[in-house]
Amino acid sequence: MSGQRPDRRPLVAHIVYRFDTGGLENGVVNLIDHMPRDAYRHMVVALTEVTDFRHRLRRDDVECIELHKPPGHGAKLYPRLFRLLREHRPAIVHTRNLAALEMQVAAWAARVPLRVHGEHGRDVEDLDGTSRHHQRLRRLYAPFVHRYIALSQDLARYLTERVGIAPARVAQIYNGVDAGRFRPASGGDPGPIPGAPFAAPAHWLVGTVGRMQTVKHQPLLARAFVRALQVQPALRERLRLVLVGDGPLRAECQAVLAGAGMAELAWLPGERADVPDLMRGLNAFVLPSLAEGISNTILEAMASGLPVVATAVGGNPELVADGRTGLLVPPDDVEAMAKALLRLADDPDSARAMGLAGRIEAEQRFSLEAMVAAYLLQYGGAQQGRPDSPFHDAAGGT
């Protein structure tokens, strides 16, 4: 009785802190789902937990493993992760962000041939990238990493100029967006949002989608919405706000709106799974973040044909062409964001033209095909083998 033929496709072990709803995790899912099945196998290792978000993976051959990491340094996980990697023998380990970077030590000890680290966005405790402590941590683990992937030019400069990684070891790859799943509403006009209390054309909807956590800063949008209606009270008849997502800032947003007597002009439905339909029901998308890498939601909004108002932080200026596909405003500036909202609401034709230009940008510059091709190029060294000394590439050769 013959056994099954061994699967000779190289295995990629994606190591993340938590596999849950988020831009980083969405990028992992998009990469796995759209990479050719005959190129690589994949597994996802979450240092803490794997949530129902794993069902976003369309492939049926991806194993998801959670390690239930306790608070503190991850060295306690090294023996377990070492055994896991020796058992599965991945050709590539790909860690993401500082929270998972320390796992490169276990990957080196397990003699993983190619060790990749991705920088997806700013740390919550280091929004401007000036923390010497965070820079030292990245330098500490740099000898164990072969290649770095930065999602934005801003993050690539951070790695090379502040952390001191050799430019030859850093590749910059933008996220891709599924332009088939995220597409403009048919006919060009926003469609109804399931469950929403208002809709176009009677109303002009501005909104955002994302986790309601400190770095995303949704209360800024709530305050800017209130300020815009204070400046132009006549807009109260048609301007509406949609805040999709859940988290600790949701109550603060509700309080801001209620305190201004505008709670009935906004809709906060919590977390939703039908984001493409939500996007197609908006007239404009807003991202009020304090820091960003490369925002998946901006790309999804652009692919949906929406003009984007975004804070000029991180990689946002690399995505939004100010005045052409949207508007950029300073971070944490209520007046500037209110003016941007009024500019779009007062000139719907211009807003629509920005959205159409954004759709073209999404198709031409940020396709999933281009993203996958770039990762395949970076992963290509796996079949060739790599030296096991952690100081080979990091120190400029042995």
Side-chain angles (χ1 to χ4, degrees), residues 91-111:
I92 303 165
V93 157
H94 189 159
T95 57
R96 288 168 168 86
N97 277 359
L98 185 59
L101 177 58
E102 58 189 336
M103 296 301 124
Q104 288 282 343
V105 177
W108 164 73
R111 302 173 70 86

Side-chain angles (χ1 to χ4, degrees), residues 87-158:
E87 175 186 354
H88 289 270
R89 295 190 176 278
I92 303 165
V93 157
H94 189 159
T95 57
R96 288 168 168 86
N97 277 359
L98 185 59
L101 177 58
E102 58 189 336
M103 296 301 124
Q104 288 282 343
V105 177
W108 164 73
R111 302 173 70 86
V112 175
L114 182 61
R115 301 183 294 277
V116 180
H117 179 68
E119 290 286 345
H120 286 239
R122 296 291 187 200
D123 307 309
V124 175
E125 305 87 356
D126 183 26
L127 296 178
D128 59 0
T130 59
S131 168
R132 298 290 181 88
H133 174 63
H134 284 207
Q135 293 168 23
R136 284 194 295 269
L137 284 176
R138 285 177 168 87
R139 290 190 198 103
L140 175 66
Y141 294 110
F144 300 94
V145 180
H146 289 125
R147 301 180 185 175
Y148 289 85
I149 295 176
L151 264 65
S152 67
Q153 296 175 29
D154 174 66
L155 289 170
R157 287 191 297 269
Y158 170 77

Side-chain angles (χ1 to χ4, degrees), residues 27-341:
V28 174
V29 167
N30 280 337
L31 180 62
I32 293 174
D33 282 347
H34 292 88
M35 190 168 278
R37 289 181 73 103
D38 60 355
Y40 294 97
R41 295 176 293 132
H42 300 269
M43 65 184 296
V44 176
V45 180
L47 302 185
T48 53
E49 63 176 333
V50 174
T51 72
D52 288 342
F53 183 76
R54 69 184 185 277
H55 297 306
R56 286 283 310 277
L57 290 163
R58 296 203 298 263
R59 289 177 53 161
D60 58 5
D61 61 344
V62 181
E63 183 177 6
C64 295
I65 299 171
E66 53 189 5
L67 300 182
H68 304 288
K69 176 184 178 295
H73 195 278
K76 295 178 181 177
L77 284 183
Y78 286 170
R80 184 177 175 191
L81 182 60
F82 171 83
R83 291 192 296 270
L84 181 69
L85 295 176
R86 292 300 289 174
E87 175 186 354
H88 289 270
R89 295 190 176 278
I92 303 165
V93 157
H94 189 159
T95 57
R96 288 168 168 86
N97 277 359
L98 185 59
L101 177 58
E102 58 189 336
M103 296 301 124
Q104 288 282 343
V105 177
W108 164 73
R111 302 173 70 86
V112 175
L114 182 61
R115 301 183 294 277
V116 180
H117 179 68
E119 290 286 345
H120 286 239
R122 296 291 187 200
D123 307 309
V124 175
E125 305 87 356
D126 183 26
L127 296 178
D128 59 0
T130 59
S131 168
R132 298 290 181 88
H133 174 63
H134 284 207
Q135 293 168 23
R136 284 194 295 269
L137 284 176
R138 285 177 168 87
R139 290 190 198 103
L140 175 66
Y141 294 110
F144 300 94
V145 180
H146 289 125
R147 301 180 185 175
Y148 289 85
I149 295 176
L151 264 65
S152 67
Q153 296 175 29
D154 174 66
L155 289 170
R157 287 191 297 269
Y158 170 77
L159 287 173
T160 58
E161 296 174 7
R162 296 195 174 183
V163 180
I165 306 300
R169 296 173 62 202
V170 180
Q172 191 267 308
I173 302 176
Y174 287 122
N175 280 339
V177 61
D178 189 338
R181 182 167 177 251
F182 290 91
R183 62 186 185 279
S186 59
D189 294 320
I193 300 176
F198 26 70
H203 302 109
W204 206 83
L205 279 62
V206 298
T208 193
V209 179
R211 292 168 294 130
M212 290 197 170
Q213 296 179 342
T214 302
V215 70
K216 298 302 179 181
H217 205 33
Q218 288 92 344
L220 171 67
L221 175 53
R223 294 187 181 96
F225 176 78
V226 168
R227 181 59 181 155
L229 292 183
Q230 289 172 342
V231 173
Q232 289 194 29
L235 280 176
R236 192 178 181 114
E237 292 299 316
R238 66 184 184 92
L239 189 60
R240 296 293 183 268
L241 178 64
V242 176
L243 299 175
V244 179
D246 206 356
L249 297 184
R250 188 180 179 195
E252 183 179 345
C253 291
Q254 292 171 324
V256 168
L257 295 162
M262 299 183 186
E264 76 281 2
L265 306 182
W267 183 52
L268 289 80
E271 188 172 339
R272 296 273 295 231
D274 55 344
V275 176
D277 291 333
L278 288 163
M279 290 284 194
R280 282 189 283 273
L282 298 177
N283 295 94
F285 180 83
V286 184
L287 191 72
S289 302
L290 294 171
E292 281 291 340
I294 286 297
S295 168
N296 283 294
T297 52
I298 283 183
L299 293 177
E300 291 164 359
M302 291 171 62
S304 300
L306 298 178
V308 175
V309 176
T311 47
V313 298
N316 290 353
E318 300 173 39
L319 305 183
V320 180
D322 190 31
R324 189 168 66 83
T325 65
L327 301 172
L328 293 169
V329 300
D332 203 22
D333 190 328
V334 172
E335 290 293 332
M337 181 160 284
K339 288 179 181 178
L341 297 182

